[in-house]
């Protein structure tokens, strides 16, 4: 789930995206203060909550951190508007410390490497084009569903025929202060625990 709020820009409306894939065809359905967005199969892919400040306590504008409290408030808002839909939300951190277990050359691209990365709860295969990625490094991984500071949403992808789940991030991509201009991923100190959350300002 991703949520966005900008009262000055679009009014008192919370935009909620439930799926990372944008459907080709959508139709909308209004129920009170909620406009449901559905795909061609009738699945709810997102919704807009009008008069949002009556339902949700907003700490900030822009991309809203998805917390247990927000999910509860959204579930209550749906019920108050007679919408029977259970929000199933993965609240695990989307930016985590990963450990690059191995690095192999991409079979179809000279400048890409295929990395096996331990992120604590699972192991991910990530295709990485950074010149400084090496086995044995601790790195920041944006998992599928993460929203980068640029607004880009990380999705499962296939790069030159090789599946890739997530992204190994540079300091610049994470919008860290004093990020170096040269290309390359951010390599973390060994004190960072694999699988622990890495705080990123949206």
């Amino acid at each position: 789930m991703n949520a966005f709020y900008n009262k000055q820009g679009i009014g008192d409306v919370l935009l909620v995206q439930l799926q990372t894939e944008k459907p080709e065809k959508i139709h909308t359905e209004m129920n009170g203060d909620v406009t449901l967005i559905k795909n061609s199969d009738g699945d709810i892919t997102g919704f807009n909550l009008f008069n949002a400040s009556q339902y949700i306590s907003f700490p900030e504008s822009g991309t809203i951190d998805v917390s247990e409290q927000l999910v509860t408030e959204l579930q209550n808002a749906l019920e108050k508007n007679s919408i029977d839909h259970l929000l199933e939300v993965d609240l695990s951190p989307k930016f985590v410390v990963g450990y690059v277990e191995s690095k192999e050359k991409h079979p179809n691209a000279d400048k890409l490497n295929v990395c096996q990365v331990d992120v604590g709860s699972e192991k991910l295969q990530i295709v990485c084009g950074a010149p400084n990625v090496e086995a044995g490094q601790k790195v920041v991984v944006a998992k599928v569903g993460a929203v980068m500071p640029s607004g880009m949403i990380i999705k499962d992808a296939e790069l030159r025929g090789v599946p890739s789940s997530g992204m190994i991030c540079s300091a610049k991509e994470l919008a860290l202060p004093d990020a170096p201009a040269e290309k390359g991923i951010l390599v973390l100190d060994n004190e960072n625990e694999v699988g622990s959350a890495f705080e990123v300002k949206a």
Side-chain angles (χ1 to χ4, degrees):
M1 175 196 284
N2 298 306
F4 184 83
Y5 182 77
N6 182 346
K7 191 169 185 178
Q8 288 183 323
I10 56 176
D12 190 14
V13 184
L14 179 70
L15 310 178
V16 179
Q17 185 180 8
L18 298 177
Q19 297 181 3
T20 55
E21 295 297 326
K22 191 173 181 180
E24 289 181 14
K25 291 183 179 179
I26 63 167
H27 67 275
T28 58
E29 192 178 292
M30 289 195 70
N31 293 66
D33 284 333
V34 178
T35 298
L36 295 175
I37 301 163
K38 296 185 175 183
N39 62 18
S40 54
D41 295 327
D43 300 323
I44 298 171
T45 62
F47 59 89
N48 297 338
L49 177 62
F50 293 84
N51 302 310
S53 58
Q54 294 179 22
Y55 300 94
I56 312 293
S57 44
F58 289 107
E60 79 257 35
S61 279
T63 302
I64 307 296
D65 285 334
V66 178
S67 62
E68 205 167 317
Q69 179 186 345
L70 178 67
V71 174
T72 300
E73 290 175 338
L74 288 175
Q75 191 69 64
N76 290 338
L78 292 177
E79 289 171 9
K80 285 177 184 174
N81 287 278
S82 304
I83 295 167
D84 183 19
H85 179 74
L86 179 64
L87 295 172
E88 295 179 354
V89 181
D90 176 12
L91 292 172
S92 64
K94 293 294 178 280
F95 292 93
V96 297
V97 176
Y99 177 77
V100 182
E101 291 189 335
S102 66
K103 176 190 101 166
E104 294 178 2
K105 279 285 180 195
H106 191 294
N108 304 316
D110 290 341
K111 293 186 177 179
L112 297 178
N113 294 294
V114 182
C115 300
Q116 305 300 325
V117 186
D118 180 2
V119 293
S121 59
E122 58 186 326
K123 289 182 184 175
L124 302 175
Q125 177 169 286
I126 300 176
V127 177
C128 180
N132 65 327
V133 67
E134 295 293 346
Q137 291 171 334
K138 286 187 176 176
V139 295
V140 179
V141 174
K143 297 170 70 176
V144 170
V147 181
M148 301 300 293
S150 66
M152 180 178 75
I153 299 172
I154 302 300
K155 303 174 183 179
D156 277 315
E158 198 169 285
L159 300 172
R160 297 283 188 92
V162 175
S164 181
S165 297
M167 185 170 84
I168 302 174
C169 304
S170 69
K172 189 176 181 182
E173 288 164 337
L174 296 167
L176 297 180
D178 305 321
E182 63 267 16
K183 285 185 176 182
I185 56 164
L186 174 67
V187 179
L188 300 173
D189 297 332
N190 273 328
E191 293 87 67
N192 291 276
E193 187 180 340
V194 172
S196 62
F198 186 89
E199 189 174 338
V200 175
K201 300 290 185 188

